[in-house]
Amino acid sequence: MTDILVVTGLSGAGRSQAANDLEDLGWFVVDNLPVVLIDKVVELSGEAGGEIVKLCLVVGNARHQTAILEAVRSLREQGHSVRILFLEASTRELVRRYEATRRKHPMSDGLMGLEEVIESERIAINGVKAFADLVIDTTGLTVHNLRNQLVHLFGPENPGDALQVSVMSFGFKHGVPIDADMILDVRFLPNPHWDENLRPFSGLDQSVKEFVLGQDLSDEFLERIDGLIGLILPAYMQEGRSYFTIGIGCTGGRHRSVAMVEEVAKRLTAAGYHPRVTHRDINA
């Protein structure tokens, strides 16, 4: 059965932000979903051939949320694992957010002031809050704080899965990749290009790997990369980043950088990450 998370709560309390964060964590998110469509969406997710195992349903404002409890009961009776996450914030904080963004509250009818509208919505969905499995007050939370809580509660068991790490080899003579978060230059290492026996091969071939990784400088360089990775990647996850790309370059992007990328990818895997490897210029 599908693992279902229903995100509810006050307008302006962070439902959309939570939806974005949960999508980054691997949940299939359906935002602003009318309650009458929940059964159909869950039915379709079950027909997706096992592709959707974590389904997040973000329910709209109070007009949609008042019927959520009966829908949840029905899903649980069908054998689904269903949790309700309720997001709230103080009225003062919600007023501040709406004034900062100049957005109109979805329940505003032009007859009540903003504080009255917020309190009216709070009362209308109080029963949903009482039924919720988890309530998060976002009053004092930054977007990073909220993401960290969601990662802890609903993220993958392996923290490395929360950050998609890519490692790319490239040649400086073909240009530096513009999407890399970190650039490492290995042109200080002896170049296999000048060895006629190695020139036809690439850093994917064992003879070139042994040549590049057999240098004393390579050992020290890799040790320092291990330390840098151990420092930076957890910090990036703490800041809510979902992607991190490491670019390793040599002159042509065929020998040294390729061998180094392969080795760095092995070390990332051993550290619990699942790196995506690209050799941009290996055939250039």
PDB file of all heavy atoms in Angstrom, residues 158-170:
ATOM      1  N   ASN A 158      18.690   7.072   5.030  1.00  0.00           N
ATOM      2  CA  ASN A 158      20.086   7.438   4.819  1.00  0.00           C
ATOM      3  C   ASN A 158      20.149   8.933   4.524  1.00  0.00           C
ATOM      4  O   ASN A 158      19.640   9.390   3.498  1.00  0.00           O
ATOM      5  CB  ASN A 158      20.673   6.663   3.643  1.00  0.00           C
ATOM      6  CG  ASN A 158      22.106   7.072   3.340  1.00  0.00           C
ATOM      7  OD1 ASN A 158      22.733   7.806   4.109  1.00  0.00           O
ATOM      8  ND2 ASN A 158      22.621   6.622   2.229  1.00  0.00           N
ATOM      9  N   PRO A 159      20.757   9.762   5.409  1.00  0.00           N
ATOM     10  CA  PRO A 159      20.801  11.208   5.189  1.00  0.00           C
ATOM     11  C   PRO A 159      21.421  11.592   3.850  1.00  0.00           C
ATOM     12  O   PRO A 159      21.077  12.624   3.274  1.00  0.00           O
ATOM     13  CB  PRO A 159      21.664  11.714   6.357  1.00  0.00           C
ATOM     14  CG  PRO A 159      21.537  10.669   7.412  1.00  0.00           C
ATOM     15  CD  PRO A 159      21.408   9.371   6.655  1.00  0.00           C
ATOM     16  N   GLY A 160      22.341  10.756   3.334  1.00  0.00           N
ATOM     17  CA  GLY A 160      22.970  11.074   2.057  1.00  0.00           C
ATOM     18  C   GLY A 160      21.997  11.103   0.900  1.00  0.00           C
ATOM     19  O   GLY A 160      22.257  11.732  -0.120  1.00  0.00           O
ATOM     20  N   ASP A 161      20.842  10.428   1.050  1.00  0.00           N
ATOM     21  CA  ASP A 161      19.847  10.421  -0.019  1.00  0.00           C
ATOM     22  C   ASP A 161      19.150  11.770  -0.157  1.00  0.00           C
ATOM     23  O   ASP A 161      18.485  12.028  -1.163  1.00  0.00           O
ATOM     24  CB  ASP A 161      18.799   9.338   0.244  1.00  0.00           C
ATOM     25  CG  ASP A 161      19.379   7.946   0.117  1.00  0.00           C
ATOM     26  OD1 ASP A 161      20.427   7.809  -0.543  1.00  0.00           O
ATOM     27  OD2 ASP A 161      18.790   7.002   0.666  1.00  0.00           O
ATOM     28  N   ALA A 162      19.235  12.619   0.864  1.00  0.00           N
ATOM     29  CA  ALA A 162      18.563  13.915   0.818  1.00  0.00           C
ATOM     30  C   ALA A 162      19.316  14.914  -0.055  1.00  0.00           C
ATOM     31  O   ALA A 162      18.777  15.963  -0.404  1.00  0.00           O
ATOM     32  CB  ALA A 162      18.419  14.478   2.242  1.00  0.00           C
ATOM     33  N   LEU A 163      20.551  14.605  -0.421  1.00  0.00           N
ATOM     34  CA  LEU A 163      21.359  15.492  -1.247  1.00  0.00           C
ATOM     35  C   LEU A 163      21.850  14.729  -2.473  1.00  0.00           C
ATOM     36  O   LEU A 163      22.546  13.729  -2.349  1.00  0.00           O
ATOM     37  CB  LEU A 163      22.558  16.016  -0.444  1.00  0.00           C
ATOM     38  CG  LEU A 163      23.492  16.992  -1.166  1.00  0.00           C
ATOM     39  CD1 LEU A 163      22.787  18.323  -1.413  1.00  0.00           C
ATOM     40  CD2 LEU A 163      24.760  17.219  -0.340  1.00  0.00           C
ATOM     41  N   GLN A 164      21.457  15.199  -3.648  1.00  0.00           N
ATOM     42  CA  GLN A 164      21.923  14.576  -4.883  1.00  0.00           C
ATOM     43  C   GLN A 164      23.277  15.169  -5.260  1.00  0.00           C
ATOM     44  O   GLN A 164      23.382  16.334  -5.614  1.00  0.00           O
ATOM     45  CB  GLN A 164      20.936  14.799  -6.021  1.00  0.00           C
ATOM     46  CG  GLN A 164      21.401  14.240  -7.363  1.00  0.00           C
ATOM     47  CD  GLN A 164      21.703  12.757  -7.323  1.00  0.00           C
ATOM     48  OE1 GLN A 164      20.818  11.957  -7.074  1.00  0.00           O
ATOM     49  NE2 GLN A 164      22.954  12.370  -7.564  1.00  0.00           N
ATOM     50  N   VAL A 165      24.313  14.344  -5.162  1.00  0.00           N
ATOM     51  CA  VAL A 165      25.668  14.787  -5.448  1.00  0.00           C
ATOM     52  C   VAL A 165      26.068  14.326  -6.843  1.00  0.00           C
ATOM     53  O   VAL A 165      25.892  13.159  -7.201  1.00  0.00           O
ATOM     54  CB  VAL A 165      26.665  14.233  -4.404  1.00  0.00           C
ATOM     55  CG1 VAL A 165      28.079  14.729  -4.707  1.00  0.00           C
ATOM     56  CG2 VAL A 165      26.244  14.638  -3.001  1.00  0.00           C
ATOM     57  N   SER A 166      26.593  15.247  -7.628  1.00  0.00           N
ATOM     58  CA  SER A 166      27.100  14.924  -8.957  1.00  0.00           C
ATOM     59  C   SER A 166      28.587  15.224  -9.014  1.00  0.00           C
ATOM     60  O   SER A 166      29.048  16.213  -8.436  1.00  0.00           O
ATOM     61  CB  SER A 166      26.370  15.744 -10.032  1.00  0.00           C
ATOM     62  OG  SER A 166      24.995  15.442 -10.049  1.00  0.00           O
ATOM     63  N   VAL A 167      29.337  14.358  -9.688  1.00  0.00           N
ATOM     64  CA  VAL A 167      30.767  14.570  -9.874  1.00  0.00           C
ATOM     65  C   VAL A 167      31.047  14.554 -11.372  1.00  0.00           C
ATOM     66  O   VAL A 167      30.708  13.593 -12.059  1.00  0.00           O
ATOM     67  CB  VAL A 167      31.611  13.487  -9.171  1.00  0.00           C
ATOM     68  CG1 VAL A 167      33.059  13.943  -9.054  1.00  0.00           C
ATOM     69  CG2 VAL A 167      31.055  13.159  -7.802  1.00  0.00           C
ATOM     70  N   MET A 168      31.669  15.632 -11.855  1.00  0.00           N
ATOM     71  CA  MET A 168      31.858  15.795 -13.300  1.00  0.00           C
ATOM     72  C   MET A 168      33.331  16.028 -13.622  1.00  0.00           C
ATOM     73  O   MET A 168      33.994  16.864 -13.011  1.00  0.00           O
ATOM     74  CB  MET A 168      31.041  17.000 -13.787  1.00  0.00           C
ATOM     75  CG  MET A 168      31.267  17.346 -15.254  1.00  0.00           C
ATOM     76  SD  MET A 168      30.556  18.963 -15.682  1.00  0.00           S
ATOM     77  CE  MET A 168      28.831  18.669 -15.333  1.00  0.00           C
ATOM     78  N   SER A 169      33.833  15.268 -14.604  1.00  0.00           N
ATOM     79  CA  SER A 169      35.175  15.554 -15.124  1.00  0.00           C
ATOM     80  C   SER A 169      35.028  16.481 -16.324  1.00  0.00           C
ATOM     81  O   SER A 169      34.022  16.443 -17.039  1.00  0.00           O
ATOM     82  CB  SER A 169      35.891  14.266 -15.525  1.00  0.00           C
ATOM     83  OG  SER A 169      35.266  13.670 -16.648  1.00  0.00           O
ATOM     84  N   PHE A 170      36.030  17.329 -16.540  1.00  0.00           N
ATOM     85  CA  PHE A 170      35.972  18.248 -17.681  1.00  0.00           C
ATOM     86  C   PHE A 170      37.386  18.687 -18.044  1.00  0.00           C
ATOM     87  O   PHE A 170      38.334  18.493 -17.271  1.00  0.00           O
ATOM     88  CB  PHE A 170      35.104  19.480 -17.353  1.00  0.00           C
ATOM     89  CG  PHE A 170      35.712  20.404 -16.327  1.00  0.00           C
ATOM     90  CD1 PHE A 170      36.468  21.512 -16.724  1.00  0.00           C
ATOM     91  CD2 PHE A 170      35.541  20.176 -14.974  1.00  0.00           C
ATOM     92  CE1 PHE A 170      37.036  22.363 -15.789  1.00  0.00           C
ATOM     93  CE2 PHE A 170      36.108  21.021 -14.018  1.00  0.00           C
ATOM     94  CZ  PHE A 170      36.854  22.120 -14.432  1.00  0.00           C
TER      95      PHE A 170
END
